[in-house]
Amino acid sequence: MSKQGAFDLAFGVGGRIGKDEVLSAVDKYEKYHGYYGGEEDERKDNYTDMVNKYYDLCTSFYEYGWGESFHFAPRWKGESLQESIKRHEHFLALQLGLKPGQKVLDVGCGIGGPLREIARFSSTSVTGLNNNEYQISRGQVLNRKVGLDQTCNFVKGDFMKMPFPDNSFDAVYAIEATCHAPDPVGCYREIYRVLKPGQCFAVYEWCMTDAYNPNNEEQKRIKEEIELGNGLPEIRSTQQCLEAARKAGFEVVWDKDLAEDSPVSWYMPLDTSHFSLSSFRLTAVGRLFTRNLVSALEYVGVAPKGSQRVQAFLEKAAEGLVGGAKKGIFTPMYFFLVRKPISDSQ
């Protein structure tokens, strides 16, 4: 787990954005979103800029509060957050049937927490695809620290136009990442193209469930809060995602919303009514401490102007995620495993 401290958080806000440009980047990012009157088409047309701004602004907050793996997980009673996150990653490796020496692609890899865990768990070589230079630079540092820089690597690129030849990988996975794609069919078609025939793609998608009612104003506001706080062009339904995979050419092996059977609610670390020493920074008290700390560091000039605004929209995202989960209208772990037909040798 990352050992990011308060000053790492402060100095990291903005990523590759110049510190004197953070505030204007926050302004532009917020205006993309429906919560502030933005339009879905504009988010889709400018998804590269929007998502890059989001991760430049937010990565240090994620790493400070969550660790190296920026995702949720179903959780057993008595299991820590970090244990559940690792098990969620191991589950993907097992579903893909990974074998030592295979070449694997992580689509939208963040700073590489899952990449490193899956590579060590399965003895595979994992390539992380990411379009954000700041996250790649962090991932490279962390790979070197654990001695994986010779077997695992990062490639800068857009998952709508992947910089890989056809049939390059033995397996592909994505963890809460392809939800950033403006067009799921186009994204899945690129994954299909670079995957070897007969091999599988496994994914955890952020989705609205069948219970979501787009005509309900409260539910619509929750959806907009999640989109704002997580850099999303839109949140698709589970059936839209599965149908997109079929349209891309995949055969569906199986699918399930893994949130449904989680003994401990996946959103518990974000629920302000919950307190935990092991994930103190995510609790209401921990978030209040961080809010005051960021305010003080911004005031004295250590953190760039706009840092408090970044934390504010991340807090808004947390509210939306918890609200969406409690109403049963949102899941961050709609899982499906699909296969590229062996007959497709391209």
Side-chain angles (χ1 to χ4, degrees), residues 100-121:
Q102 284 187 322
K103 189 177 178 184
V104 181
L105 177 64
D106 180 332
V107 177
C109 62
I111 62 172
L115 176 155
R116 286 180 288 278
E117 186 63 33
I118 288 173
R120 288 178 290 199
F121 178 74

Side-chain angles (χ1 to χ4, degrees), residues 70-90:
F70 304 162
H71 64 83
F72 296 102
R75 192 166 166 186
W76 293 101
K77 292 180 180 179
E79 188 177 44
S80 71
L81 174 62
Q82 290 305 315
E83 287 169 342
S84 70
I85 284 173
K86 286 187 177 184
R87 181 173 52 78
H88 203 43
E89 293 163 358
H90 296 172

Side-chain angles (χ1 to χ4, degrees), residues 1 6-7 12 30 42 44 77 89 102 144-145 150 158 163 167 182 195 204 210 226 251 291 294 304 334 341:
M1 181 177 173
F7 283 95
E30 288 178 340
E42 186 179 4
K44 288 181 176 181
K77 292 180 180 179
E89 293 163 358
Q102 284 187 322
R144 285 194 294 271
K145 280 186 177 180
Q150 298 302 310
D158 183 345
N167 308 323
L195 183 63
Y204 297 134
D210 291 341
I226 298 172
E251 299 170 342
R291 193 179 310 128
V294 170
Y334 175 55

Side-chain angles (χ1 to χ4, degrees), residues 200-248:
C200 289
F201 166 51
V203 62
Y204 297 134
E205 280 285 8
W206 282 33
C207 292
M208 305 310 291
T209 70
D210 291 341
Y212 173 66
N213 178 4
N215 297 315
N216 181 296
E217 287 302 315
E218 182 185 11
Q219 293 186 15
K220 184 179 176 183
R221 177 186 55 77
I222 287 172
K223 179 174 178 283
E224 289 176 347
E225 287 176 347
I226 298 172
E227 289 168 344
L228 164 70
N230 296 279
L232 305 179
E234 65 167 332
I235 308 175
R236 294 171 278 270
S237 71
T238 55
Q239 290 310 304
Q240 282 177 314
C241 286
L242 197 63
E243 184 58 27
R246 289 193 177 102
K247 286 181 178 178

Side-chain angles (χ1 to χ4, degrees), residues 138-195:
R138 281 293 299 147
Q140 289 169 334
V141 168
L142 294 168
N143 273 12
R144 285 194 294 271
K145 280 186 177 180
V146 296
L148 286 175
D149 51 312
Q150 298 302 310
T151 56
C152 295
N153 68 309
F154 295 90
V155 172
K156 186 177 187 305
D158 183 345
F159 51 38
M160 302 299 293
K161 297 171 290 201
M162 294 189 190
F164 306 114
D166 296 353
N167 308 323
S168 295
F169 295 96
D170 298 299
V172 181
Y173 67 85
I175 300 177
E176 302 181 21
T178 46
C179 50
H180 291 293
D183 169 24
V185 177
C187 179
Y188 295 159
R189 278 178 178 155
E190 274 295 272
I191 291 168
Y192 184 98
R193 181 182 66 79
V194 302
L195 183 63

